[in-house]
Amino acid sequence: CSVVGLSGESLDLDVPKESKVGDLKRLVEDLWAVPRICQKLLCAGHIMSDAFRCEALPEKELQLVVSTETLHIALQSALAAEVLDQLQKCAKECRGDDGVWPAVEAEVWDCLQTSPVVDAAGVANSAAAVLVAAALARRPNTLEEAFARLEGSCERGRLASVKMLTAMGDTKHMMYLRGRLEDLCPSVRAEAVKGIASLAPLDQGLLFAISGHLHDSNVLVRQAAVEAIGQFVSASGCSECSKDSECENFPENLEFAGMAVLARLQHPQVS
């Protein structure tokens, strides 16, 4: 059998006689990174069901059509987490037609905002994992969309964007993460603190900004700030992890961190 893609490229598939159309879709997903749930295979103008046997096809050339309609329905159902796990595996492979994944990602972003399922937080984490995988695969326009979503009204969208920028590991993204330190959503603030601490050694300006979050109203943000400051002090005192100039400033760094944490200990909340 052969499958003709959106760009006209042909994919020749040598499959056993007992294979079914569903097996062809799995191969197309592996070789072209087109999610199975978005595939429709046409033969002689008719859509072939996954259970149709390949040896019974009236023609041996199938036309690939990509649609996100089924994906959209699945992401709004109890199957959302399972579908997102499948998408994450596919997102890691930067292959196939560049016009496919932007449409898939649009559905994932939409899922973050509109998912009606009971475990909405779990679905949001799975959706963020898909977008992080796509960003790490350097897919076209993925990062640009993350920048745009940082200023959006959807909290889960902003959180996913911060996770994507952190996973990329590029210090050029520091300014975007710093802008999220004052986000209205505590989860976004906490993730921004973690991201800043992981991207580069903290300078005094960043350390001062993070130390202010030791007094945040949310325990997750306070915990992230404490861990970031601890990481800063630990790195600045280790000759293997730090530059010589940073090691020389270890006493000052320790004093700064100590004063910040002591101020936190005076807070009436035990946590």
Side-chain angles (χ1 to χ4, degrees), residues 194-217:
K194 295 176 184 178
I196 289 172
S198 69
L199 285 185
L202 300 179
D203 56 29
Q204 289 293 336
L206 285 173
L207 185 61
F208 183 79
I210 288 179
S211 65
H213 285 72
L214 290 169
H215 302 275
D216 195 278
S217 60

Side-chain angles (χ1 to χ4, degrees), residues 7 9 31-34 93-101 139:
S7 62
E9 181 182 359
L31 297 172
W32 277 351
V34 177
E93 299 295 334
C94 188
R95 294 192 297 244
D97 195 306
D98 290 342
V100 174
W101 261 96
R139 291 188 173 278

